[in-house]
Amino acid sequence: MNVSARIVDGTEISRAIRAEVAAEVAQLRAAGVVPGLAVVLVGADGASEVYVRSKARACREAGMHDRTLHLPAEVTAEELYGVIDGLNADPDIHGILLQLPLPAHLNPKPFLERIDAAKDVDGFHPLNVGRAFIGDPRGFVPATPAGIMEMIRREQIPTQGRHAVIVGRSLIVSKPLMSLLMAPGPNAGVTLVHRHTPDIAPFTRMADILIVAVGKPGLVTADMVKPGAAVFDVGITRVPDPADPRGYRVVGDVDHAGVSEVAGAITPVPGGVGPMTIAMLLRNTVEAARRDAARTRKRDRRRAAP
Ligand code: GUN
């Protein structure tokens, strides 16, 4: 019988980051700046409403200003553009997050592009996607991959020359993670496989760091994991569970019990990557507020100059 993997506790790590964020917010407030995050939620989606409430609570706990705009599912494109334009122009708002998914009649792309890139704390605007890809620090990195990189750093998981294998090809998690892991600094080699890869097991078995982000419960089993690997489970799927008072429980993409017997470190679901996401979103918002304050100071200096 193998020794069980070390559990990488996202709840605890995110608590530490949120405390750091709160200290930075206190400093900014002392200088007259209150970082503000606006979340735009369109229609009624149970899971989204839960996320949005926890984002708002986390903002308040960190001393930040939060605003939630809940729009009806029937909102027109023109109305939604108007809301985004208003937030772009609002000096109290430093970060704007358009909660996805949108109702089926609205393609998210033009709305994400309408958000001022300087307020795009989700990192979904093409300008920020491009900046993150070329390693330009002015970009905002999406919260989930940023959270995974932060867990890797704080848990001192070696990346230099190691082989990271990513399962999934999403723009929100896998693509940014690919460029973050291979960048100077982490210096990992990266392989990415996805739903059209006929057999992912030969690849996952080569991973020193395995990141699974597809939303298929139980996809990765113990026989697919290299002994000692660090496993990050990004899946969040609700499965029916009559024993749970909510009628469901949340599971990841990794067979946690089985893989824990083989891996060196593993994130649980819930309580792994999930809580990191909100912490990193707050951090991006504080960074957006800091940059805005710096721009304002520069503008004021220029105006004051003779
Ligand atoms: N829906 C689920 N996760 C996210 C996220 O990180 N950002 C946005 N905008 N929508 C989401």
Side-chain angles (χ1 to χ4, degrees):
M1 176 105 153
N2 280 305
V3 179
S4 282
R6 175 162 53 100
I7 301 293
V8 178
D9 184 344
T11 305
E12 198 179 304
I13 301 172
S14 69
R15 204 174 284 137
I17 295 171
R18 280 159 58 175
E20 291 163 16
V21 167
E24 288 173 43
V25 171
Q27 272 183 359
L28 280 166
R29 289 181 80 114
V33 178
V34 183
L37 174 69
V39 176
V40 181
L41 176 63
V42 184
D45 175 281
S48 288
E49 284 171 20
V50 174
Y51 289 143
V52 166
R53 270 200 300 275
S54 43
K55 283 169 193 166
R57 194 180 329 114
C59 275
R60 287 193 294 274
E61 282 172 9
M64 294 164 56
H65 167 62
D66 80 278
R67 192 184 302 166
T68 301
L69 293 102
H70 199 160
L71 310 176
E74 313 73 49
V75 72
T76 65
E78 283 317 310
E79 285 165 336
L80 186 51
Y81 283 133
V83 167
I84 294 171
D85 291 345
L87 294 171
N88 282 342
D90 187 333
D92 292 337
I93 296 298
H94 304 98
I96 303 171
L97 185 146
L98 178 60
Q99 182 69 28
L100 303 178
L102 292 180
H105 71 281
L106 296 172
N107 168 16
K109 205 162 160 274
F111 301 106
L112 294 173
E113 292 185 17
R114 188 80 161 216
I115 295 171
D116 180 350
K119 296 191 178 190
D120 168 41
V121 288
D122 244 339
F124 295 169
H125 189 287
L127 191 59
N128 285 322
V129 173
R131 282 172 170 165
F133 193 69
I134 63 176
D136 180 336
R138 290 175 304 165
F140 286 110
V141 174
T144 304
I148 294 170
M149 293 306 293
E150 197 62 35
M151 285 175 134
I152 289 175
R153 266 192 294 278
R154 292 189 188 227
E155 292 287 309
Q156 299 182 344
I157 291 166
T159 52
Q160 167 101 13
R162 303 296 166 104
H163 187 186
V165 176
I166 301 170
V167 184
R169 57 174 174 175
S170 70
L171 185 59
I172 295 179
V173 182
S174 299
K175 285 185 179 177
L177 202 49
M178 182 181 72
S179 57
L180 292 168
L181 281 162
M182 71 167 80
N187 291 329
V190 182
T191 297
L192 188 147
V193 295
H194 51 76
R195 66 168 74 229
H196 295 285
T197 308
D199 182 10
I200 63 169
F203 298 97
T204 60
R205 276 189 208 114
M206 287 196 290
D208 300 306
I209 300 168
L210 178 61
I211 297 126
V212 194
V214 293
K216 274 197 192 160
L219 177 71
V220 171
T221 47
D223 57 307
M224 297 165 70
V225 175
K226 180 174 170 174
V231 180
F232 293 86
D233 188 351
V234 189
I236 316 176
T237 306
R238 288 181 176 189
V239 296
D241 182 357
D244 191 294
R246 297 171 302 182
Y248 68 87
R249 72 197 149 87
V250 175
V251 297
D253 293 341
V254 174
D255 167 24
H256 188 84
V259 171
S260 292
E261 298 287 315
V262 182
I266 187 167
T267 60
V269 176
V273 175
M276 294 296 292
T277 301
I278 289 183
M280 302 313 285
L281 173 71
L282 298 189
R283 202 151 96 169
N284 276 353
T285 306
V286 169
E287 180 58 25
R290 203 196 301 280
R291 291 178 191 178
D292 181 55
R295 277 194 299 272
T296 305
R297 277 197 304 275
K298 204 167 160 185
R299 202 169 41 233
D300 291 350
R301 269 202 307 274
R302 216 180 297 130
R303 285 199 184 133

